[in-house]
Amino acid sequence: MALISKDDPGRELLLMGNEAVARGALEAGISVAAAYPGNPSSEIIGSLAEVAEDMGIYVEWSVNEKVALEVAAAAAVSGLNALVAMKQNGLNVASDFLMNLNLTGIRGGLVLVVCDDPSGISSTNEQDSRILVKSADLPLLEPSTFHEAKDMVRFAFEVSREINNVCMIRSVTRISHARGNVTLGPLPSARPKPHFDTNIILSALPASLTHPTAHRRFRQAKRLLADSTFNSYQGPDTPELLVITCGSGYLFSQEAVRLLGLESRVGLLKIGTTWPLPEELILSRLRDAGRVLFIEEVDPFLEDNVLELFAEHNTTLPKVSFLGKKSGTVPDLGELSPGLIIGILADLMKVSRPHADEAYSSTATDALRNFAPARSLAFCPGCPHRASYWAVKKALALDGRDGVVFGDIGCYALGVLATGFHQSKTLHAMGSGTGMASGFGMLGRFGATQPAIALCGDSTFYHAAIPALLNALHHQSDLLMIILDNSATAMTGFQPHPGSSVNAMGSQAPAVVIEDLCTSLGLKTVIGDPFDLDESAVTIYELLQESGTKVLILRQMCALVGAKKGPRRYTVTVDQDKCLGDECGCDRFCTRVFRCPGLNWDVSLKKARVDEAICAGCGVCADICPSHAIVRERA
Amino acid sequence: MDQIHGLDELSRRVLDKGLCASCGSCVGRCPYVTEFKGRTVVLHRCTVEHGRCFAYCPMTFFDPEAASRMVFGTRAEASGIGRYEDVKASRATDETVAEAAQGGGTVTSLLIAALNSGMIDSAVLTSSIPGEARGRGFVGTTVAEIASCSGSKFAGSHSLSVLREALDQGRSRIGVVALPCQVRSLRKMALYDLKQEKLRERVPLVIGLFCNWAFSPRQFAEFLGKELGLGHIGKIDIPPPPAQVLEVETQGRTVSVPLDLVRPMIQDACRVCPDMTAEFADVSVGMYEGRPGWNTLVVRTAAGAGVVGEALAAAGLETDVFPSENLEHLKEASEQKRTRAAQ
Ligand SMILES: Cc1cc2nc3c(=O)[nH]c(=O)nc-3n(C[C@H](O)[C@H](O)[C@H](O)COP(=O)(O)OP(=O)(O)OC[C@H]3O[C@@H](n4cnc5c(N)ncnc54)[C@H](O)[C@@H]3O)c2cc1C
Ligand code: SF4
Ligand code: SF4
Ligand code: SF4
Ligand code: SF4
């Protein structure tokens, strides 16, 4: 039985932050959970999907974040508890609906967990989603520990049901992906039967009526959060420095204070309910603090809001000097770390830093030890994207008109880097590549001669590229859409999507076949194998010579899925007698240009060789070696 | 070696300036340069500092003195039609050869004699691509294969790219029919032989063609197809002056296209090329203006004299005197190209 569904109240378990969130949702008695995968949020729905059958809940990987929120909202307006999870970029996709849902409200419980990715380790940006929550007039909670993550979800559902509106939770990578102890609570035994009350119309319009309602609900939330135990103060009554912190910042600050022995000089005000703020608590602490330091990840959200509060009450408060991102004391971007906070506090308090060993043994660091490593910035061995990008590069060179590749979000976003030969020239949001290509393909009338390619993966195709493709088709834009179909949402952990024949809960599901969809629209649709490099290049070239909107599906299984499914296709070796190495005739084409990690450059021999442990056995490199030194045999 | 660079420099000096002669010598040796529909395409950067692409390209640099010393054992002759032993009128005796040939079939006859005598074991030629004006490289190893390549393709054809194929097949006596730029490339290969492939010994016979210009393969194809609406191009002929036309066989008829219309399609490389008569070949062959069915044959080296001797002995070729006023006229035309190129 999976850990998160253990019916063993009081038991302590080591859970990942995202699993703790999932457990909290189970304890809150959710019926429905939906999400579109996106790191660092993916494991929330992933772990719920695993226990869906046992727990009798409905879990889905939705086609995109907006639909996920809509699916969850349907449950919540019918009186159920529903959880929806996404990453920060996903909140943008969902925001159109969120900014209207907040006006109509709900009737059950709806908790939206958004996991921010400070430093953008697996994201295009490091946007702070809290800003959006504030403008939505919704309450926001931020967990600092794993156990708290679980309990906050339960509390969020209570708040949501109480105020009849969405309650938001913001996590960050270091909470979502690290592990810590969580004490289990009881699981509910019964769930309500859904019913949509047709006597009430849920319409955001007219705003003149719904906006005041939203404000009223927000004020109600403010009262509920004011005395929350998720907010706490520890430290002397009149600290030399008051640290106001939230989320992972609290964990780091607590550790830093302990390691520097500053418990009697520095006070820690931990805020778990970051919006709306527990004003009384904060004002009372500001009265006794001459100096305040804000520790939080990404934007100065807490900082701005506390400064606003201070300004409102400035006539009754003593002078306070504020330090944080605005003063330049704390970096205004990127992830924080225990070491960073130790440095800041040591400087401010004029104490010396502890030895590195000691700092390393800190529990905060321990908790982060199994933190997911940053994705490497190259395609995996045997990855079909490498082959696809080479084919694209070659086709554009053969074409000679300086064609432009509009890239998209997924593993293949790495195509802006050397691993994709720098072929993708734009990278923004899900589906934006096709939208931009659609626009660029209309510029021929002004004399543009460069052909346009929109590159997107299968998951992204379903998520957001279809409307852009329809736009291109309808306006007869000259573009070639290349769908890199590796039959997986590989970047985030192989969640099924509408093209899969199973759903999140493992049951059979009808697959929406990309080529069927495209041909039914009347689009010229060609299917190719990226591993057939030369043929793919010529196919791309030929499609680029045609006008109008065309689709090429380059289909080949993700190397990681392939590795899971079966043995290698080929055993690959380098015949070093034939290898030309860095001489004229090759110049290390395999290791310098093609760069599959399965191939190594032997510096002393000046020859290439296959790293058997890493090579995925795709055999593609045998086709690119100019001297036929790479030999592949059917494994 | 200090004058030899790599691919970046080849791009800068030749490709980016549109000065590629489509000789094909840089193509097919490595993953970085390829030919596609008549265009020389660079696929990726190469970091080799002294590369064959640059070294063997006729348009990067050419040292006539070094080439002359190697080919003729003497100083270069920088006037007229270059260094030669003899100039003759010539034609094939075999009717089928003469029939299929561009001029008198001299080139094909010489090749057959060279193959039959064992002087060469293979020939790097230019065969036609059905329906297209440009040709492509072809390695012929039989009389029939050699005969199948008769006729001139007037667009650059990258035919030297298949020299690699012949070398990889282990051929040790390769004859090549080459345009003047290609002759220069072949001589540079023999001079610098960067990979010690014994290129000098392995290419014992270079038959040069006279050439005033060739068309840029892509532009010419686009012109014929898009501008003139001509499909499926067959044989192309340039009748002697004062015709001033190009006769293009297309789908069962012959269309005369004024030369002035197609001149813009001439490769820029040809406008700066000083060599009309393939001055560094073993023998050079051109048309015989005013004597249809005959060629002008310039014998330049012992190897050239040898192959002509073989062909005469085998009765595949007949020769006649080439009048001195014709020779003067040829030298003048050759000088004019030299002068135009220098401008
Ligand atoms: C682009 C071009 C321009 C020419 N310009 C002139 C000119 O201005 N004045 C003149 O007198 N003669 C010119 N010639 C030469 C002439 O057309 C004949 O090729 C020559 O007279 C030999 O005739 P032949 O009957 O002996 O050839 P054939 O026996 O028909 O043999 C022709 C040979 O030429 C080779 N060949 C054909 N096309 C090409 C090519 N594009 N590149 C390299 N090799 C090729 C073939 O491999 C074949 O072996 C030119 C030829 C070409 C290809
Ligand atoms: S591409 Fe082939 S010849 Fe070149 S380094 Fe790799 S194995 Fe050697
Ligand atoms: S076969 Fe070659 S390209 Fe494929 S994984 Fe192995 S080393 Fe990489
Ligand atoms: S230097 Fe050699 S390997 Fe590099 S592009 Fe030129 S011919 Fe190819
Ligand atoms: S002239 Fe020949 S060697 Fe030079 S770039 Fe063109 S095809 Fe290559």
Side-chain angles (χ1 to χ4, degrees), chain A residues 390 393-394 397-400 421 538 541 580 582-589 592-593 624 626, chain B residues 29-32 34-37 39 41-48 50-53 195 218:
Chain A
W390 181 256
K393 179 179 163 87
K394 184 163 178 182
L398 299 181
D399 177 80
F421 319 109
V538 171
Y541 168 85
L580 291 171
D582 54 7
E583 283 175 36
C584 174
C586 181
D587 192 19
R588 298 175 46 200
F589 185 66
R592 185 183 68 88
V593 181
I624 57 132
Chain B
R29 299 175 173 277
C30 71
Y32 305 104
T34 189
E35 176 272 326
F36 188 73
K37 295 196 190 287
R39 208 165 61 91
V41 180
V42 172
L43 294 176
H44 198 89
R45 279 198 64 192
C46 169
T47 63
V48 171
H50 308 288
R52 291 173 294 173
C53 53
K195 296 246 224 184
R218 242 190 215 193

Side-chain angles (χ1 to χ4, degrees), chain A residues 4-200:
Chain A
I4 67 155
S5 57
K6 275 201 163 26
D7 193 6
D8 196 358
R11 168 132 177 221
E12 267 205 5
L13 284 180
L14 187 70
L15 291 184
M16 184 194 258
N18 280 345
E19 291 169 335
V21 169
R23 170 70 189 194
L26 290 177
E27 291 181 8
I30 57 155
S31 299
V32 169
Y36 179 81
N39 285 336
S41 74
S42 307
E43 297 82 5
I44 297 174
I45 297 296
S47 56
L48 284 172
E50 278 175 34
V51 303
E53 211 184 303
D54 285 349
M55 300 300 294
I57 58 174
Y58 174 72
V59 180
E60 75 167 41
W61 285 119
S62 308
V63 70
N64 65 34
E65 292 86 352
K66 179 165 171 276
V67 173
L69 182 57
E70 288 155 352
V71 164
V77 298
S78 307
L80 305 180
N81 276 357
L83 181 84
V84 60
M86 55 194 62
K87 67 185 295 177
Q88 79 279 6
N89 310 70
L91 185 61
N92 301 332
V93 177
S95 65
D96 194 12
F97 179 58
L98 184 67
M99 290 305 197
N100 288 286
L101 182 65
N102 63 342
L103 298 181
T104 67
I106 52 168
R107 295 159 195 162
L110 177 47
V111 173
L112 195 166
V113 182
V114 52
C115 300
D116 283 2
D117 183 10
S119 291
I121 292 160
S122 40
S123 310
T124 47
N125 71 13
E126 60 163 347
Q127 173 187 333
D128 191 323
S129 44
R130 297 177 296 178
I131 315 289
L132 217 138
V133 181
K134 188 177 172 184
S135 61
D137 283 328
L138 294 173
L140 172 73
L141 312 177
E142 286 190 67
S144 291
T145 69
F146 310 95
H147 182 75
E148 195 171 71
K150 189 207 74 169
D151 280 354
M152 256 186 192
V153 174
R154 249 174 46 192
F155 177 65
F157 273 106
E158 283 165 26
V159 173
S160 170
R161 290 195 86 91
E162 192 71 33
I163 66 167
N164 287 321
N165 214 342
V166 182
C167 185
M168 310 265 311
I169 292 182
R170 182 227 195 191
S171 176
V172 289
T173 313
R174 298 227 170 194
I175 299 290
S176 281
H177 276 178
R179 276 170 209 280
N181 279 342
V182 173
T183 310
L184 302 185
L187 292 171
S189 47
R191 284 190 190 81
K193 178 170 179 283
H195 176 72
F196 191 111
D197 182 353
T198 51
N199 293 314
I200 304 171

